[in-house]
Amino acid sequence: MSFFKNLLASMLGFFIAFFLLFLIVMFVAISAQSETEPHIREGSVLNISLTGLIPERPAEDPFSELFMGKPDASALSTLSENFNKAASDHRIDGIWLEINMLSTPWATLEEIHKAILDFKENSGKFVYASTDDMGFNEQGYYIATAADSIFSPPETMFLLDGFFIQTVFFKNMLDKVGVEPQVLESGAYKTAFESFTHSEYSMENAEQLQAIIDLTADEFLNAVSKKTGLSVAELNDIMNEAPRLTANFAFEAGLLDELIYRSETKDRVDQRVRSLGRSDVHHVKSSRYEKVTRRSAGIERANGNEKIAIIHLDGVIMPQSLGPRQATITAENFRSHIKEIREDENIKAIVLRINSPGGSASTSDVIWKMVREISQELPVIASMGPVAASGGYYISAAADTIIASANTITGSIGVISTRFNVQELMNDKLGITFDEVKTHNHANWMNPVGSLSEIEERAFKSFGDEFYEVFLNRVALGRNMGVEEVHLVAQGRVWTGYDALEHNLVDMLGGLDLALHTAAEKAGLAEYHIETFPKPKSVIELLTGSAQIQAMNLFNLDYPGKQAFEATQGLLMLNGKPHVLALLPFEISVN
């Protein structure tokens, strides 16, 4: 009896302690969110740290911030805002970029590079870039080329060896375990499931991927050439030589301005500020400067109440959410955003910020219809992030204007129909057998334990072909093109934003700033405020959502091709049915 009393007392104590901890964390989170604006003194330098992945938007994870500290690195949206504020802020004399190894999509890097150049042009202020013990790779060095001067310690790593795309192929493994992928493509370049059906790239896939890395190389080489004065031919010769890994060779080749350590770089920055007549120099971290208001930075608040809504569509397009670990775009969420926009009479235009490889064809079509409808009421501009392909492009096609970065991965106008036959795995490998009774000839044709008959395969392919025709017609309608004209640039072919402009799949090249300017122009707005969707969550939502993510991450292991496998698994197993997918080849990452 005493055992149960002790057990109940222990459980009660645990729950009381947990509740008190929750209250403390919530109090700290609320306090952090209500932190007062920092005081910025004259003679300040904005220190921006750029390392690893730079996301589109800040992560809403108070647990990480509370217990691990707020990271210095910023998201693209906050970086852009800080550049804009610093350009107008008389207290900020310049920017010091501290760059280490980056693993960020090139379209994002392109926007940051342009934002730095715009900052210099609009403000006349200096920008210095440096690295520390981690060093530069091509992504980091590309950002640094927008600066006035680039510094590095002499023995730090400097990678300048070119670009590649690598894909994981599972066909041989599936053959060994007895799983047969049955994939029917509508479009010769629709290669989203090649990882499961091939052991190497098809000719069509190699062709489109080569075009992507060639554009990346051109963009990189032109930026380096402009900064260093070396010709593209000279740079190609350097990159084709035997790899050399330290900053010493980069300095000798004229790629760096000076080989110095961080403390010496700080001296150079401080000297530059003092040359402007400042007696004292102050350094402000980007994460701190985020809390400075636009008005304090010298940017007057827009007059009036007119607004432009930015709807962020980030992740795989799905009939329903797969949970907090994986970003998804659902019709239900999009419908709720449109409802809020319609209820706000001050919203005069919409920018769809799309970062998606596609996903469910049916969900893409439902969202397309909603975009088409709201575009009859308000101007709608599609702003493509690093990737807006397949279903992501399908949604974009309903917008009035499509804007992409040169390095955006887009197009992939095509459809795949997929199912997996696991009969050999079950019968021969695992010794599991099945028996059944049925009422009609094809009642079990979607069952994964067995192959499709010839009639069933034709039916399955016609399903995809019919949707491909729908896809072509949607694009033709949105782009004012003929269906056959669209077909010539479709067939699942992946394009860069630069090539998409040549083929009339996008209207302009630029980032989110250009999309907002275009939306304002179409809505006739001289000044406007920005309303962002999804809206920031409440503290309670953040805490509970973050707790779920933190718990899941304890059991969340990384492995090659993990993103592809998880998203594919979710798409194929949703409701236990195969799906027709408007999906890009996964994880096109230029390294």
Side-chain angles (χ1 to χ4, degrees):
M1 193 68 173
S2 60
F3 169 78
F4 289 107
K5 288 182 179 179
N6 292 334
L7 179 62
L8 290 172
S10 299
M11 291 176 63
L12 181 61
F14 171 79
F15 285 118
I16 291 173
F18 181 82
F19 179 70
L20 291 174
L21 177 63
F22 179 81
L23 291 178
I24 292 170
V25 170
M26 185 168 65
F27 174 78
V28 175
I30 293 171
S31 300
Q33 289 192 344
S34 60
E35 185 178 333
T36 58
E37 180 179 346
H39 174 65
I40 307 298
R41 291 172 286 185
E42 292 193 355
S44 291
V45 175
L46 180 59
N47 287 29
I48 298 177
S49 174
L50 300 174
T51 304
L53 175 65
I54 301 172
E56 284 267 311
R57 303 177 68 198
E60 295 177 333
D61 189 348
F63 273 80
S64 294
E65 184 174 332
L66 288 171
F67 299 121
M68 300 177 64
K70 184 175 177 62
D72 293 333
S74 298
L76 175 61
S77 59
T78 50
L79 277 173
S80 299
E81 179 67 5
N82 278 356
F83 282 127
N84 288 333
K85 290 188 297 187
S88 299
D89 196 336
H90 67 88
R91 302 166 299 182
I92 300 293
D93 289 332
I95 292 177
W96 178 10
L97 302 172
E98 297 189 80
I99 305 170
N100 283 302
M101 294 288 178
L102 286 172
S103 56
T104 296
W106 279 89
T108 301
L109 298 176
E110 185 184 342
E111 291 204 42
I112 296 171
H113 189 271
K114 184 178 183 304
I116 297 168
L117 295 177
D118 288 345
F119 167 82
K120 290 166 55 179
E121 182 180 350
N122 296 333
S123 69
K125 300 175 182 180
F126 73 89
V127 178
Y128 284 174
S130 69
T131 189
D132 206 344
D133 54 330
M134 290 182 68
F136 286 120
N137 57 359
E138 285 88 354
Q139 289 100 319
Y141 185 62
Y142 170 70
I143 294 298
T145 60
D148 301 304
S149 300
I150 310 174
F151 309 104
S152 171
E155 302 304 324
T156 290
M157 185 173 287
F158 189 101
L159 296 178
L160 194 71
D161 47 19
F163 304 92
F164 72 97
I165 296 172
Q166 186 178 68
T167 301
V168 179
F169 292 89
F170 300 100
K171 180 181 184 302
N172 295 337
M173 180 198 73
L174 295 176
D175 288 345
K176 288 182 179 180
V177 300
V179 174
E180 177 193 9
Q182 296 178 304
V183 180
L184 304 174
E185 298 104 347
S186 298
Y189 291 87
K190 196 65 182 177
T191 56
F193 272 71
E194 261 194 10
S195 289
F196 301 101
T197 59
H198 291 60
S199 54
E200 60 184 15
Y201 293 130
S202 64
M203 181 180 68
E204 293 84 0
N205 202 10
E207 177 189 347
Q208 62 186 357
L209 294 179
Q210 188 67 50
I212 291 172
I213 58 172
D214 286 346
L215 178 73
T216 300
D218 289 345
E219 177 82 17
F220 174 79
L221 291 169
N222 287 329
V224 177
S225 177
K226 186 174 182 180
K227 172 66 176 72
T228 64
L230 296 169
S231 70
V232 170
E234 289 173 315
L235 292 170
N236 277 322
D237 288 341
I238 292 172
M239 294 172 73
N240 281 321
E241 292 174 358
R244 287 171 288 178
L245 297 177
T246 66
N248 279 293
F249 101 87
F251 177 69
E252 293 168 3
L255 301 173
L256 297 171
D257 291 290
E258 201 172 355
L259 293 179
I260 54 177
Y261 294 91
R262 187 183 186 280
S263 59
E264 296 167 302
T265 300
K266 183 178 180 299
D267 290 340
R268 300 290 187 278
V269 173
D270 292 352
Q271 288 167 13
R272 180 66 181 268
V273 174
R274 288 195 176 95
S275 72
L276 300 174
R278 306 293 195 187
S279 56
D280 295 313
V281 182
H282 311 281
H283 290 261
V284 182
K285 288 186 177 182
S286 182
S287 56
R288 185 164 177 256
Y289 195 67
E290 288 174 18
K291 297 180 176 65
V292 172
T293 64
R294 292 171 66 86
R295 176 168 290 182
S296 296
I299 302 175
E300 290 300 320
R301 191 178 189 275
N303 294 319
N305 298 317
E306 288 84 4
K307 295 184 283 189
I308 294 176
I310 302 177
I311 304 178
H312 288 270
L313 299 174
D314 189 13
V316 181
I317 301 169
M318 296 290 293
Q320 64 188 52
S321 174
L322 291 181
R325 274 199 306 171
Q326 187 172 326
T328 51
I329 301 167
T330 69
E332 180 182 1
N333 288 341
F334 189 77
R335 187 177 292 110
S336 69
H337 301 330
I338 294 299
K339 182 176 182 293
E340 285 189 66
I341 288 170
R342 281 198 170 105
E343 292 172 350
D344 189 341
E345 61 181 17
N346 292 318
I347 293 178
K348 305 300 182 183
I350 299 172
V351 172
L352 304 177
R353 179 64 175 183
I354 301 172
N355 184 26
S356 172
S360 166
S362 59
T363 306
S364 300
D365 188 59
V366 170
I367 296 175
W368 173 89
K369 177 64 173 174
M370 286 188 275
V371 175
R372 185 79 179 170
E373 289 174 346
I374 195 66
S375 69
Q376 307 304 310
E377 306 169 30
L378 300 170
V380 178
I381 311 300
S383 171
M384 294 179 167
V387 56
S390 203
Y393 186 82
Y394 193 109
I395 294 170
S396 303
D400 303 310
T401 304
I402 303 177
I403 299 174
S405 295
N407 283 285
T408 293
I409 295 170
T410 188
S412 193
I413 302 168
V415 179
I416 48 176
S417 306
T418 62
R419 75 188 291 273
F420 284 89
N421 176 13
V422 298
Q423 185 171 22
E424 183 182 347
L425 170 64
M426 293 295 182
N427 295 171
D428 300 341
K429 307 295 184 181
L430 300 178
I432 300 172
T433 59
F434 298 84
D435 199 0
E436 62 190 25
V437 294
K438 59 185 179 182
T439 59
H440 295 80
N441 293 339
H442 307 291
N444 66 337
W445 79 300
M446 288 295 187
N447 191 329
V449 185
S451 297
L452 295 173
S453 68
E454 184 177 340
I455 293 174
E456 291 165 348
E457 186 171 317
R458 283 202 305 269
F460 200 32
K461 187 169 192 320
S462 69
F463 186 28
D465 288 344
E466 288 170 9
F467 192 85
Y468 179 56
E469 289 297 320
V470 172
F471 201 161
L472 294 178
N473 278 278
R474 299 287 193 250
V475 176
L477 177 64
R479 305 302 302 162
N480 294 316
M481 299 168 66
V483 173
E484 187 57 35
E485 189 182 0
V486 176
H487 175 66
L488 292 175
V489 296
Q491 303 182 62
R493 174 69 186 259
V494 176
W495 302 101
T496 62
Y498 179 85
D499 290 328
L501 180 65
E502 293 292 313
H503 293 293
N504 194 34
L505 295 177
V506 306
D507 296 292
M508 291 182 273
L509 295 182
L512 184 58
D513 285 346
L514 178 59
L516 287 167
H517 175 77
T518 304
E521 195 174 66
K522 286 186 175 291
L525 301 179
E527 298 182 68
Y528 58 87
H529 306 279
I530 293 174
E531 186 86 8
T532 301
F533 297 86
K535 291 184 176 178
K537 296 179 180 178
S538 68
V539 173
I540 297 295
E541 290 173 322
L542 286 173
L543 289 172
T544 55
S546 179
Q548 283 183 283
I549 294 171
Q550 296 295 327
M552 288 180 174
N553 284 341
L554 292 174
F555 307 97
N556 187 23
L557 302 178
D558 286 321
Y559 53 85
K562 174 188 171 186
Q563 179 185 356
F565 185 82
E566 283 190 346
T568 303
Q569 180 187 43
L571 287 164
L572 292 177
M573 299 309 294
L574 192 65
N575 299 328
K577 299 294 184 182
H579 268 71
V580 173
L581 308 174
L583 192 66
L584 174 78
F586 279 103
E587 294 186 82
I588 296 181
S589 176
V590 180
N591 301 297

